[in-house]
Amino acid sequence: MASILDEYEDSQNIRQSAQQHSRLSSTNIGITHSGFVNARLEEEKPIFNKQRIDFTPPEKINHLAVCNNQLCMSLGKDTLLRIDLAKPDQPNQTELGRKDDSKVHRLFLDPTGSHLLISLNTSECLYLNRNTQKVRSLSRWRGHLIESVGWNKLLGNETSTGPILVGTSQGIIFEAEISANEGSLFNTNPDQYFRQVHSVEEDGKPAPVCCLEVERGLENKYFIIATTRKRLFQFVGKVAEGSEQQGFSSIFNQNQDLLPSFQEFPANMGHSEITFYTPKLRTSPKAFAWMMGNGVLYGQLDYVRPDSLLSDVQVWEYTPDIDLNHNKPISIVLTQFHFLLLLHDRVKAICTLNGQVVYEDVFPDKFGSLKKMIKDPVGGLVWIYTERAVFRYHIQRESRDVWQMYMSMNKFDLAKEYCRDRPECMDMVLAKEAEHCFQNKRYLESAMCYAQTQNYFEEIALKFIEAKQEEALKEFLLKKLNNLKPSERTQITLLVTWLAELYLNRLGQLESDGNSVIFKETRDEFRQFLSSSKHRDCLYNNRTTIYDLLASHGNVDDMVYFSVVMQDYERVISHYCQHDEYSAALDVLSKHCDEKLFYKFSPVLMQHIPKNVVDAWIQMGKRLDPKKLIPALMNYSQMGSTQQINETIRYMEFCVYELMVTEEAIHNYLLSLYAKYKPDSLLWYLEQAGTHASEIHYDLKYALRLCAEHGYRQACVLVYRIMELYEEAVDLALEVDVDLAKSCANLPEDDEELRKKLWLKIAKHVVQKEEDVKKAMNCLSSCNLLKIEDILPFFPDFVTIDHFKEVTPHLSAFKQNRLEDLHKKLAATTQSSKSRHRPAPKDEGDTSSLGKATAGTSREQIKSDIDDIVASECVYCGELMIKSIDKPFIDPQKFEEEKSSWL
C-alpha cells in the first residue's frame, strides 16, 4: 500500500491523450498574417491526466467514496477499507460484522471526511466515524433504503453532522442528525432524530430521491435541490438567525401550501445524478450539471434570485453513441469548463461552453466494467473504479484551450481573459474580434483591436482607408503608436506625421460643417496628442514637418500651441508680432526669459510698447547684456517718439546706477542721450562719474567732442580737468565763469609754474576783458604765487595809479613827495602825447618825430619809477603793510568825511 498513490503510469493512456490533443489542436482557428508563429516548443501535458493506482484489492470493489482526502472502499461482502490520502501507507481495514446476506448498497461520506454512512440493500444503515473502529447501526433509519444524503456544510464537524437531509428509494425526504458521541445511559444510538419532512413523486407515484443538495444563500436563505429520475425540485426558504440547529423543516413547511418548483424531462433512464462545481476561493457552488434521460442540464447557480437557484440553464444532448438501453451514462462530474460522463468502458469530457467532446478515454477490458466516478470537492481529484482497479484523474490547466471556445462563440472578452499569459493566442483572439467588429461596421472597436495584433500594418490601414473610415484609422494609428517601443523611431515618425494629417483633415471638416462641440473636442484631443510626453522627442525632431502641415491647413492657433509645447518661442513671438499682438509677444518673452529672443524681438517691440519692454528688461536684470540692446535703442533714440526716448534713457540709467554696468559703450551712449535730450542731467552725470581718469567708464575724448558739439562749455571744462588739460580748462572756463577758472587753476598742485601761469591767465582776463581791477587784485589773495608786479602790465594807465592809492598813505614822506612828482611828470607827458596826435606842419615833421620818441622813452621811465615805489611788494602782505598794522584803516583827519560818504 506504500505506493498506492505514487507509482503508476499507463503508457497507453498517455499516447491516447496525446493523439486526442493533437486531433483537437489541428482544429484551431488560424489567423493569417500574424506576427506570432504558433509553434509549441515541447509537448504540452494533457488537461485530463489519468493515473492508475498501484493497488490490487484482495476482494472485489463494490463501492467507493472520497471526500476531504479521505477514501473509503467497500470490498467483498463485509470489508471496509479507509485510507487517509495524506498517509496512504497507513490504511485502515474494518469488518462490518454482518452475518446475513446483506450487501452494501451505497456509501456516503460527509464534506469533512469524518462521517461515513453505509446503506445496505436490506433497508438498513450503518455509521462509522473516522476516529473509531466501531460500526454502529442507525436504528431509527431501519426500513428505508437510503439513496441520497444532503450534508450540512455549515454546521457539520468531526463529531456531529448537524441537521442533514436523507432521501429514500420511496421518495421520502427525512431530516436527521448523527453524533459520534456515545450518548447518555438511556440513549446510546448515534442518530439523534429521524423525521420525515417531505416526499416527492413522478407520474403520481413515489420516485426514488436520487440526489439531495443543501446550499445557504444571503440573509439566511436556504436552497434545497432534490432530484428524481426525471424531475429536479427546488425548495427555497429562510431560517431565522440562530435557529439553524433546528433543521430544515421550516423550509419545507413554507413550501407546503404550494407545489414545489421543479423541472421535468420526459426520458427516464432509471436513475439521475447531479453534480456541482465550486471554485477554490468560494464556499458555495457556482454551477451544476444534472445527468438525466434527455441529456445533461447545465447552468449557473444564482443565490440572489428570490424563487430559483438555477440560471442560464441549457440541455446538452448525449452524443449518438450513448444509448439509454445498452450504453447509458453511469456517473457525471462537473469541472470549471467540462463535465465528465462515465460510461461502462470509457470517460468522455464535454466542454460546457459548446457541448463538444474534447476528450475521450477508453479503458482496457482487462480491468472490467467501470462502476462509478466520484470527485473529491476538496482536493479536486476525480476517482474512477472497477471491481479490480482504481484510477485517478489530475485535471490541470483546464482553461488552456477555453479561449478558442469563447472566440468561436464571439465572446471575445472571455476569450482574452483565458489567454492573457499566451501572447500568440491573444493575438488570434484580437484579430478575430477586430474582423468581427469590422464586418459589423463597429469600426472604432475594430481599430482598437487591430492595433493590438501583429497583423500587417499596411493591410489594416488599407482596410480602413477603403472603407473611408478616417476616425477608425486614426484610432488604429494612435493605439499602434502607443504600443511602439522608443527604439522604433522610424515607425513612430511615420505614425506621428500621419496622425497629424488626419487630425488636421478632421478639424478642417468639422470647422466647415460648423460643428463647434465636436470641433472643440477634436481640437483638445489633437492638442493632447501634440503635447504627449511619450512622443515628445519624435515631435521635436520632426517639428518642421508638423509646422508645414499646420501651415498648409492654415491652422494658426494650433501652430502657436505646438510652438509653445515645443518651446519654440521664437515662432510664437514672431506670430504675435506679425499679427500686431505685441503685448502677447512680450508676455511670452517675459515668461520664458530667453535672452536671445529678447535681443531679437526687442527692436520691434520697443517701437510699439516701449514702457512695457523696458519694464521687462529691468525685470530681467543682469541676465540681459545691455550692449546687445543698444542697436535697437539707438535706432529709436534717433527717430523715435518722446516716450521711446525717455524709456531708452530710463533703461540706460538703470544699467548704470542700479546694475553698476561699467562697459564704456553703455556710458558713452547714456552721455549721448543726456547731451541730446536731457542736458540738465549731463553735468550731474559727469560730476558724479569721478574726477580722475581711472574712476570713469566713458570715453573722455568722445565726451569732450560731444559736449563741444552741443556747446556745453562747463561740461567741457569738467572733461578738460579730468584729462589734466588745465590750460584748456582755464581758457574755456574764463568764457563761462571766473570762479570756475579759479577752481581749475589750483588743480596742478605739484606744478607751481603752471599754476602761476594759469592764474596770470585769469588775472589778465579779469583786467583786460572784464576791466574789473578789484577782481584782479583778488587774484593776488587767491594765489600766493602772484605779485603785484606780475599783474601790473595788464592794467590800463588811467586806473593803474588810482588802485594803488590802499598803498600811498603808508609810504614815507620822502617816497610820497617823490611819488607826487612822478605823477605830475606822467600827467605832463600824457598831455603832450595828446597834442602830438593833432596834425603838425610839414616843417615840424622831423622835430615832432624826435619829440615823440623822447616823450615815449620818458613816459616809460616815469612808469617804471612809480612801479618801483608802489609795487615793490604785495599791497596786502608786504613789509609796508606789516609796519602799518598799528595804524587805523581810516586816517582820523578824514574819518568824518569818509563817514558821511556812507550815509
Side-chain angles (χ1 to χ4, degrees):
M1 294 297 297
S3 59
I4 190 170
L5 299 175
D6 301 322
E7 298 179 7
Y8 46 78
E9 200 68 51
D10 190 332
S11 59
Q12 180 180 3
N13 176 64
I14 294 295
R15 287 194 298 271
Q16 290 175 346
S17 299
Q19 292 171 359
Q20 177 71 15
H21 176 75
S22 176
R23 180 178 63 82
L24 293 173
S25 298
S26 64
T27 63
N28 289 352
I29 300 174
I31 304 296
T32 59
H33 308 309
S34 173
F36 289 105
V37 178
N38 192 12
R40 304 288 169 88
L41 298 180
E42 57 181 298
E43 186 69 26
E44 287 189 338
K45 293 182 179 180
I47 294 175
F48 303 98
N49 184 18
K50 183 178 70 175
Q51 305 162 352
R52 182 191 174 197
I53 304 302
D54 186 13
F55 166 67
T56 302
E59 298 181 75
K60 292 182 180 180
I61 302 174
N62 298 320
H63 295 279
L64 182 147
V66 61
C67 197
N68 198 23
N69 282 335
Q70 302 298 314
L71 186 145
C72 300
M73 290 187 209
S74 170
L75 303 176
K77 177 184 177 182
D78 203 44
T79 303
L80 190 68
L81 184 65
R82 294 183 293 175
I83 302 172
D84 185 347
L85 297 179
K87 303 173 184 178
D89 56 343
Q90 301 176 18
N92 179 272
Q93 186 169 322
T94 303
E95 300 299 324
L96 298 180
R98 304 293 297 184
K99 302 300 182 182
D100 53 17
D101 294 333
S102 63
K103 296 180 181 179
V104 175
H105 177 62
R106 287 182 181 275
L107 294 179
F108 305 99
L109 189 60
D110 83 308
T112 68
S114 302
H115 307 282
L116 177 65
L117 294 176
I118 307 164
S119 175
L120 303 178
N121 61 354
T122 57
S123 298
E124 294 180 79
C125 193
L126 306 178
Y127 170 71
L128 179 63
N129 187 270
R130 183 171 66 181
N131 299 322
T132 66
Q133 290 288 101
K134 184 178 179 180
V135 179
R136 306 172 71 183
S137 175
L138 302 177
S139 58
R140 290 186 175 90
W141 298 40
R142 193 170 292 140
H144 300 285
L145 183 62
I146 308 302
E147 296 286 348
S148 58
V149 175
W151 298 103
N152 193 321
K153 300 174 185 176
L154 179 65
L155 299 178
N157 53 49
E158 291 184 357
T159 60
S160 174
T161 62
I164 60 175
L165 295 178
V166 178
T168 70
S169 61
Q170 295 301 312
I172 304 174
I173 299 176
F174 289 90
E175 182 180 83
E177 183 174 359
I178 301 173
S179 175
N181 298 326
E182 290 297 328
S184 65
L185 178 64
F186 302 101
N187 183 19
T188 59
N189 292 329
D191 49 334
Q192 303 298 305
Y193 63 87
F194 190 77
R195 56 175 175 259
Q196 180 178 345
V197 292
H198 198 72
S199 63
V200 293
E201 58 181 29
E202 287 178 354
D203 302 327
K205 298 178 182 179
V209 182
C210 299
C211 298
L212 281 171
E213 182 75 15
V214 180
E215 294 297 337
R216 182 186 181 188
L218 301 175
E219 300 176 351
N220 283 347
K221 182 184 287 188
Y222 279 82
F223 299 86
I224 298 174
I225 294 178
T227 66
T228 62
R229 293 165 297 190
K230 299 193 301 180
R231 290 183 176 181
L232 187 151
F233 295 86
Q234 293 186 74
F235 303 90
V236 182
K238 283 189 175 183
V239 175
E241 187 173 357
S243 62
E244 292 87 354
Q245 191 64 44
Q246 297 179 9
F248 308 106
S249 300
S250 62
I251 298 175
F252 290 101
N253 292 336
Q254 293 173 27
N255 292 268
Q256 198 166 21
D257 297 335
L258 302 173
L259 292 176
S261 173
F262 68 88
Q263 290 181 298
E264 183 175 15
F265 293 87
N268 184 351
M269 64 177 183
H271 72 282
S272 72
E273 183 172 306
I274 192 168
T275 179
F276 299 88
Y277 167 70
T278 304
K280 290 183 179 180
L281 300 179
R282 291 183 56 174
T283 57
S284 300
K286 177 184 177 183
F288 77 96
W290 180 37
M291 181 186 73
M292 40 80 180
N294 291 85
V296 176
L297 179 69
Y298 171 78
Q300 304 297 311
L301 299 180
D302 187 351
Y303 296 90
V304 179
R305 295 179 64 182
D307 55 346
S308 175
L309 183 63
L310 312 181
S311 68
D312 300 330
V313 294
Q314 55 185 324
V315 176
W316 294 117
E317 295 182 355
Y318 296 125
T319 55
D321 61 327
I322 297 179
D323 183 1
L324 297 184
N325 294 322
H326 303 94
N327 189 27
K328 57 186 176 182
I330 302 170
S331 295
I332 186 170
V333 163
L334 180 62
T335 63
Q336 184 178 7
F337 295 106
H338 304 86
F339 57 82
L340 278 66
L341 285 179
L342 180 70
L343 304 176
H344 73 281
D345 64 345
R346 70 191 61 199
V347 172
K348 286 189 175 187
I350 294 93
C351 179
T352 57
L353 300 178
N354 55 14
Q356 299 296 315
V357 177
V358 297
Y359 175 81
E360 188 169 350
D361 188 10
V362 179
F363 286 71
D365 293 337
K366 64 180 180 179
F367 299 120
S369 297
L370 303 178
K371 294 178 69 70
K372 189 75 171 177
M373 177 170 60
I374 309 103
K375 180 184 178 185
D376 184 347
V378 178
L381 298 177
V382 176
W383 298 81
I384 297 176
Y385 67 94
T386 67
E387 291 182 346
R388 296 188 293 273
V390 178
F391 301 89
R392 182 174 64 179
Y393 278 95
H394 283 271
I395 303 175
Q396 55 188 0
R397 294 190 64 194
E398 186 181 0
S399 62
R400 184 181 66 198
D401 299 323
V402 168
W403 64 273
Q404 296 187 61
M405 313 296 179
Y406 282 126
M407 183 177 70
S408 63
M409 298 163 63
N410 294 334
K411 296 182 178 181
F412 301 108
D413 289 339
L414 291 171
K416 286 182 282 189
E417 187 167 341
Y418 287 101
C419 61
R420 292 190 182 279
D421 57 343
R422 301 174 66 183
E424 73 283 357
C425 301
M426 178 68 79
D427 191 72
M428 296 169 67
V429 173
L430 288 169
K432 180 70 180 298
E433 182 181 11
E435 184 62 28
H436 175 77
C437 293
F438 191 93
Q439 295 299 330
N440 287 275
K441 301 187 184 304
R442 290 154 48 196
Y443 297 110
L444 288 178
E445 297 175 53
S446 176
M448 298 293 285
C449 294
Y450 268 133
Q452 300 175 66
T453 69
Q454 298 297 316
N455 288 28
Y456 290 145
F457 172 84
E458 298 84 350
E459 290 186 2
I460 299 171
L462 189 60
K463 282 175 72 86
F464 290 114
I465 292 174
E466 291 176 345
K468 297 181 180 180
Q469 295 297 320
E470 285 197 359
E471 274 297 298
L473 176 60
K474 182 190 70 178
E475 291 299 323
F476 169 69
L477 298 179
L478 278 172
K479 189 72 174 179
K480 203 72 175 176
L481 178 62
N482 291 330
N483 292 339
L484 291 176
K485 300 176 182 178
S487 58
E488 299 174 296
R489 297 180 181 177
T490 304
Q491 295 91 326
I492 292 175
T493 300
L494 170 65
L495 294 181
V496 165
T497 52
W498 195 353
L499 280 165
E501 177 68 24
L502 289 175
Y503 271 117
L504 290 169
N505 287 340
R506 179 64 173 161
L507 286 171
Q509 180 182 355
L510 291 172
E511 188 174 24
S512 62
D513 294 343
N515 196 329
S516 59
V517 176
I518 301 179
F519 175 82
K520 185 179 183 303
E521 293 176 355
T522 306
R523 167 168 283 181
D524 292 342
E525 184 182 338
F526 180 42
R527 291 186 173 182
Q528 186 177 1
F529 167 74
L530 293 177
S531 58
S532 170
S533 58
K534 184 176 181 180
H535 310 300
R536 178 176 177 81
D537 290 342
C538 176
L539 288 165
Y540 182 81
N541 294 333
N542 297 277
R543 61 188 184 279
T544 302
T545 303
I546 304 297
Y547 283 135
D548 291 341
L549 285 173
L550 290 165
S552 66
H553 285 265
N555 195 327
V556 178
D557 292 339
D558 288 323
M559 183 173 68
V560 172
Y561 177 84
F562 181 64
S563 301
V564 173
V565 171
M566 293 291 104
Q567 297 183 354
D568 190 357
Y569 304 118
E570 181 176 352
R571 188 179 294 269
V572 177
I573 297 169
S574 296
H575 166 77
Y576 285 136
C577 289
Q578 291 170 3
H579 291 79
D580 297 339
E581 298 179 28
Y582 303 108
S583 295
L586 183 59
D587 288 342
V588 176
L589 267 178
S590 302
K591 181 177 180 181
H592 300 287
C593 303
D594 190 321
E595 296 86 351
K596 293 181 180 179
L597 296 181
F598 265 102
Y599 302 143
K600 179 172 183 178
F601 291 100
S602 287
V604 65
L605 295 176
M606 190 68 183
Q607 183 179 2
H608 298 279
I609 49 172
K611 183 181 184 305
N612 296 344
V613 173
V614 171
D615 288 341
W617 289 349
I618 292 175
Q619 188 69 28
M620 287 288 289
K622 292 186 177 181
R623 285 175 290 180
L624 289 180
D625 184 356
K627 289 189 298 184
K628 296 183 179 180
L629 295 172
I630 286 180
L633 294 174
M634 291 183 67
N635 181 33
Y636 297 115
S637 65
Q638 295 290 339
M639 53 183 292
S641 65
T642 302
Q643 184 186 17
Q644 292 163 350
I645 293 168
N646 290 338
E647 294 301 325
T648 300
I649 294 175
R650 181 163 72 99
Y651 180 66
M652 288 292 102
E653 289 176 338
F654 169 77
C655 294
V656 171
Y657 303 128
E658 299 291 334
L659 299 183
M660 308 301 290
V661 174
T662 59
E663 279 90 347
E664 186 178 88
I666 300 300
H667 285 262
N668 287 345
Y669 184 46
L670 180 58
L671 267 176
S672 68
L673 292 172
Y674 281 154
K676 295 177 182 178
Y677 306 110
K678 204 173 181 182
D680 294 342
S681 300
L682 176 62
L683 191 60
W684 178 85
Y685 168 79
L686 293 174
E687 289 174 347
Q688 62 84 36
T691 57
H692 298 284
S694 61
E695 299 175 350
I696 63 175
H697 304 295
Y698 57 86
D699 188 320
L700 286 168
K701 293 181 179 179
Y702 174 75
L704 182 62
R705 184 171 68 253
L706 191 68
C707 295
E709 288 177 355
H710 291 83
Y712 303 136
R713 292 180 294 177
Q714 190 172 352
C716 290
V717 171
L718 191 57
V719 177
Y720 276 135
R721 287 171 54 175
I722 298 171
M723 297 174 71
E724 297 183 357
L725 298 176
Y726 301 116
E727 291 191 50
E728 290 83 349
V730 170
D731 289 342
L732 187 58
L734 289 174
E735 298 179 11
V736 180
D737 181 43
V738 173
D739 289 336
L740 179 60
K742 289 179 179 181
S743 66
C744 296
N746 282 328
L747 291 177
E749 297 177 355
D750 298 332
D751 192 343
E752 292 186 354
E753 183 179 351
L754 177 58
R755 274 196 333 197
K756 182 176 181 180
K757 182 178 180 181
L758 297 177
W759 277 105
L760 285 173
K761 283 178 175 285
I762 296 171
K764 182 178 180 180
H765 172 80
V766 170
V767 173
Q768 294 181 350
K769 301 293 184 182
E770 298 186 4
E771 298 181 352
D772 191 334
V773 178
K774 287 185 178 181
K775 285 187 178 180
M777 296 305 294
N778 288 337
C779 290
L780 296 178
S781 61
S782 300
C783 180
N784 58 4
L785 298 179
L786 292 183
K787 295 182 179 180
I788 194 69
E789 61 266 28
D790 294 328
I791 65 173
L792 277 178
F794 307 141
F795 288 95
D797 294 341
F798 66 94
V799 295
T800 300
I801 301 303
D802 292 340
H803 286 279
F804 287 90
K805 287 180 180 183
E806 281 153 315
V807 180
T808 303
H810 301 288
L811 295 176
S812 61
F814 173 78
K815 286 187 177 181
Q816 287 184 5
N817 294 331
R818 175 63 178 164
L819 183 61
E820 186 177 354
D821 291 341
L822 290 173
H823 271 294
K824 292 179 180 179
K825 288 181 181 181
L826 182 62
T829 58
T830 301
Q831 184 65 34
S832 62
S833 176
K834 289 180 179 178
S835 63
R836 283 196 297 269
H837 285 291
R838 301 189 187 98
K842 290 184 180 180
D843 56 354
E844 295 180 0
D846 296 337
T847 304
S848 175
S849 299
L850 179 62
K852 180 180 180 182
T854 302
T857 303
S858 176
R859 178 181 175 81
E860 294 299 324
Q861 184 60 45
I862 293 171
K863 290 175 64 176
S864 176
D865 292 342
I866 293 173
D867 286 344
D868 289 340
I869 296 173
V870 298
S872 61
E873 59 186 27
C874 180
V875 178
Y876 300 104
C877 59
E879 184 180 357
L880 187 63
M881 280 297 173
I882 293 174
K883 288 181 179 181
S884 63
I885 194 171
D886 57 341
K887 295 181 180 181
F889 287 106
I890 302 174
D891 188 350
Q893 298 177 0
K894 299 181 180 179
F895 179 78
E896 291 299 330
E897 181 184 351
E898 188 69 23
K899 178 180 177 182
S900 61
S901 68
W902 284 81
L903 297 177

